[in-house]
Each structure stands twice: as C-alpha cells, then as structure tokens.
C-alpha cells in the first residue's frame, strides 16, 4: 500500500513485524518489574511513521498515548476501543467535549485544566492522570501543590478516577548525575503520591528499558517501539534487541567519476584527494534527510546494495552524493538505504541504524523520524503476523 504515486525512487517502508517485535521487547522489560501495561506513544503522527500505518503493528499495546486530538480521532475511526491518553491533556475547554465523545483519558498538569473540567457538562465521568512536576520543570504541579490538586479533582462529579503521572528528564543518561536524577525524581514522586489512591505512570522508553521497577503501572513507550535506542550511544538498538520500524530507501540516479582535485556539490565542500567514483542519490533535505549530515567530517553512513559507504559533501534539497569507489558492482539504479533495512522485506537483513545517521548529523533519531517529509511515499510491509 503506497499512498503517494510517484516515480522518484525514494520510499519510506513501515515494518509491521518490527513494530510487533519491539512491543514484545518493551512488554518483556516491564514483565521483569511485574507486568506494567504499555501505552504506545503515537504523538507527532506516530513519530513520523503515520498513525494509520503503525496501527496494525501496535494494536497489541494496552493503550495509545497521543498529543493531538486528530491522532485520537484517527485511532477511534480505525476501530480502537481501548484506552487513549492525551499526554498534555486539553488545550482549551472545548477539547473536553471530544474527550467525552471519544472516551479519552487526559493529563491534568495545571489549574486551568481543572477549572475547565469543573465547568464541563457531561454524564460520563472521565479518567484523568494528574501530572507531578518531579524535576523536569516543563509541565505539572510542584510537589507542594500536588495534594490540593488531587483533592480538588477527586471531588469533581466529572472525574471517574485520578491516576498519577510524571516524566523523567534523564532516564536516557548513563552518567552518574543522570542516574541520580532518576532516583531523585522517583523519590519525589513516591513522597508526593504515597498515601493517595490511583495507578502510576512514569517510564518512557529509556526508563522502561533501563529502570523498569521505577516506571510505574503504565509505561509510555515511544522511540523504542519505532526501533531506535533511547540511550544511544551508550546502548544501540541491537543491544536492546530493537528492530527498525522504518526503512528510508532510494536509488542512485547518476554516477560521476572524479579526478584528484574535483569537488562535489554546493560550496565544493568535498574535494577528491584521489580518483573516485561517486553516486548521486535521489534523497535530500526536502525529504527529511538532515542537511547537517553534510557537516560530518567523515560523512554520514549509507548502505548501497547493502554495503556501507558514506555521504560526500553537502546534502542538497533533492539529492546527496555517496562514495562508490570501493563498490565497483554498484552504480546507476543501485539500491540505497538511508536508514533501516538493506532489504526491506527481510527482518534479518543488514541494518543501518537511524541512531548512527542522527549522530553523524549531530541530532537524535527522534528528530529524523519526525522530519520525514509528506512528499516521501510510504508503504507498509506486513511481515509475518
Ligand atoms: C514523548 C513522550 C513519551 C515517550 O518518550 P520516548 O522517549 O519516545 O519513549 C513519554 N511520555 C511523555 C510525556 C512524552 O511526551
């Protein structure tokens, strides 16, 4: 199933078998800590994969967590009847109408959201997750205000059940100070909630994999489900047993020979020091490939016909250059993997991890996933079910 008809060879393939396998991996991590339930986080249109594309792969989750109401609506229209959590809750009083209509659970992180709920007319009391600011200082009630907020919510006829939620700022960190920050936030959360009824949700992907016992009754797994390591480079996706859920692939559309001193691309940023053979790939920053990858001294890693090579020079809007000098059998029309599987149909294929490409570009996998441009056609690869 491809949803854009285009002869340009770039393609994003979504792997349902990988999504299922990664979900199992997260469930295994939580099982060690006594069977937490798993929300599949599908904000930012499922981290750029497309909510409609990942649904079949992640419907084994206990719930879905999203940011925008359009994502919640898409899930309901695809037939999902289980829990859906709005990670930042309502942005205005009207959002609560949709929460009632679609039966959404929602986060309460500020007084205004409690006021809206108190004024909301509904016959269906809602389940809410009260957010504690345990140290991230982004959203949530400070520990000193938490109990009053809880008491206020518990009294409202609009509220069916109050649960507890917080977010770790340093769960992906290997450094002693990061590990200490998780321990500190966990303590703050315990102290604030200890004698209050309600289920708890703490862990993101990193916390669930690294500290399942501090992740709560409901974990919120995002990036790991899409097959990237939340704590790269301390750990790789292979270390965690995660499979890439997306392959970004294209083809070589031109081959050029370089003599010593010839340059490549805008700004002549790469200059050949020996005779070279290079390929031009139909993929550029307008597809979501990071332009900053062109700043990496040794280029960014790329697979051509499953063999590793690297980008040369700057990334253009629609094209990038790769070194073919050591790949005499590759050339015009060769298959290129920007990240993901060399063979999109094989789960045991050679993989180029999105984490490596992100690192070369000075960013993280999350940003690359979310940046895949609408002009890139998507196809869903069923894999074995
Ligand atoms: C995005 C998000 C998550 C998921 O984080 P990952 O690192 O992708 O697992 C969890 N909780 C909240 C509140 C989020 O915003």
């Amino acid at each position: 199933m491809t949803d854009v008809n285009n002869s340009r060879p770039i393609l994003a393939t979504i792997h349902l078998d990988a999504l299922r396998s990664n979900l199992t991996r997260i469930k295994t991590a939580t099982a060690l800590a006594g069977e937490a339930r798993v929300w599949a986080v599908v904000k930012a249109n499922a981290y750029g994969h497309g909510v409609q594309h990942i649904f079949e792969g992640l419907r084994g989750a206990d719930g879905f967590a999203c940011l925008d109401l359009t994502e919640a609506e898409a899930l309901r229209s695809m037939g999902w009847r289980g829990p859906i959590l709005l990670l930042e809750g309502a942005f205005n009083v009207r959002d609560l109408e949709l929460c009632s209509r679609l039966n959404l659970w929602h986060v309460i992180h500020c007084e205004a959201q409690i006021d809206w709920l108190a004024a909301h007319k509904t016959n269906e009391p809602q389940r809410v997750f009260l957010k504690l600011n345990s140290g991230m200082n982004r959203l949530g009630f400070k520990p000193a205000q938490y109990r009053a907020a809880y008491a206020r919510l518990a009294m409202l006829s609009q509220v069916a059940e109050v649960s507890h939620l917080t977010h770790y700022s340093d769960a992906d960190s290997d450094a002693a100070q990061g590990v200490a920050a998780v321990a500190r936030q966990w303590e703050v959360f315990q102290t604030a909630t200890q004698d209050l009824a309600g289920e708890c949700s703490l862990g993101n992907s990193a916390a669930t994999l690294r500290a399942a016992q501090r992740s709560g009754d409901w974990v919120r797994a995002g990036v790991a489900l899409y097959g990237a390591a939340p704590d790269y480079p301390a750990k790789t996706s292979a270390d965690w047993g995660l499979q890439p859920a997306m392959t970004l692939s294209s083809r070589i559309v031109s081959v050029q020979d370089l003599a010593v001193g010839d340059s490549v691309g805008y700004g002549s940023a790469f200059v050949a020091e020996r005779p070279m053979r290079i390929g031009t790939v139909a993929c550029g920053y307008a597809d979501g490939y990071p332009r900053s990858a062109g700043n990496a001294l040794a280029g960014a890693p790329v697979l051509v016909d499953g063999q590793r090579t690297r980008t040369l020079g700057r990334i253009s809007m629609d094209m990038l250059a790769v070194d073919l000098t050591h790949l005499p059998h590759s050339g015009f029309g060769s298959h290129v993997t920007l990240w993901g599987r060399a063979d999109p149909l094989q789960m045991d294929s050679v993989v180029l991890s999105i984490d490596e490409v992100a690192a070369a570009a000075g960013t993280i996998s999350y940003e690359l996933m979310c940046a895949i441009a609408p002009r890139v056609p998507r196809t869903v690869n069923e894999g074995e079910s």
Side-chain angles (χ1 to χ4, degrees), residues 23-36:
L23 179 59
T24 301
R25 181 67 192 79
I26 289 289
K27 285 186 171 174
T28 309
T30 67
L32 301 174
E35 295 288 331

Side-chain angles (χ1 to χ4, degrees), residues 44-361:
N45 199 21
Y47 289 45
H49 294 65
V51 173
Q52 75 277 26
H53 294 125
I54 57 80
F55 180 63
E56 282 305 320
L58 294 180
R59 66 183 306 162
D62 299 290
F64 287 90
C66 43
L67 185 74
D68 293 307
L69 286 161
T70 50
E71 291 152 354
E73 282 178 310
L75 288 162
R76 288 290 184 237
S77 72
M78 286 183 290
W80 177 254
R81 302 175 68 155
I84 296 179
L85 176 72
L86 290 181
L87 285 166
E88 294 179 24
F91 288 96
N92 60 49
V93 65
R94 284 187 316 280
D95 285 354
L96 294 174
E97 303 289 341
L98 219 54
C99 289
S100 289
R101 187 139 52 80
L102 300 176
N103 185 20
L104 309 181
W105 302 352
H106 53 102
V107 164
I108 297 281
H109 65 78
C110 65
E111 288 291 343
Q113 290 176 323
I114 306 183
D115 296 340
W116 299 335
L117 202 48
H120 178 52
K121 292 191 178 41
T122 180
N123 299 320
E124 300 289 336
Q126 299 176 351
R127 178 163 180 183
V128 296
F129 281 72
L130 183 60
K131 184 156 189 172
L132 176 72
N133 173 6
S134 57
M136 176 87 152
N137 287 310
R138 195 172 61 172
L139 297 179
F141 292 88
K142 283 270 169 65
Q145 280 88 49
Y146 193 77
R147 275 160 188 277
Y150 181 93
R152 216 186 138 200
L153 280 173
M155 275 170 31
L156 294 181
S157 63
Q158 292 88 343
V159 171
E161 188 177 343
V162 186
S163 307
H164 310 284
L165 183 143
T166 197
H167 194 58
Y168 288 123
S169 54
D170 293 67
D172 56 336
S173 169
D174 244 5
Q177 140 218 9
V179 174
V182 171
R184 196 160 56 241
Q185 283 185 263
W186 169 255
E187 281 309 316
V188 169
F189 185 81
Q190 291 311 307
T191 307
T193 62
Q194 58 190 341
D195 52 348
L196 301 176
E199 290 189 313
C200 301
S201 174
L202 296 95
N204 55 2
S205 295
T208 304
L209 289 170
R210 298 167 63 99
Q213 68 290 352
R214 287 176 173 168
S215 291
D217 308 303
W218 286 88
V219 301
R220 310 183 300 271
V223 82
L225 294 178
Y226 303 103
D231 51 355
Y232 187 87
K235 287 278 198 329
T236 65
S237 50
D239 291 339
W240 288 124
L242 300 168
Q243 299 281 337
M246 179 198 288
T247 292
L248 182 65
S249 63
S250 190
R251 288 188 186 274
I252 290 183
V253 295
S254 171
V255 175
Q256 307 287 340
D257 291 309
L258 305 184
V260 173
D262 284 352
S263 67
V264 178
Y266 285 116
S268 301
F270 179 84
V271 178
E273 291 173 358
R274 60 189 72 84
M276 293 178 80
R277 200 166 145 265
I278 68 166
T280 302
V281 180
C283 175
Y285 62 78
D287 300 302
Y289 192 88
R291 185 175 177 279
S292 55
N295 301 336
L297 224 48
V302 175
L303 303 179
V304 176
D305 294 328
Q307 315 245 42
R308 279 181 87 98
T309 183
R310 59 179 179 132
T311 63
L312 299 171
R314 292 207 189 139
I315 310 298
S316 301
M317 185 183 283
D318 312 311
M319 287 173 268
L320 58 84
V322 296
D323 190 1
L324 298 179
T325 311
H326 61 298
L327 303 175
H329 302 296
S330 297
F332 183 83
S334 280
H335 187 85
V336 176
T337 306
L338 287 318
W339 58 71
R341 299 178 183 173
D343 179 349
L345 302 182
Q346 297 298 324
M347 199 185 221
D348 57 4
S349 159
V350 171
V351 161
L352 173 60
S353 130
I354 191 171
D355 294 314
E356 270 190 73
V357 181

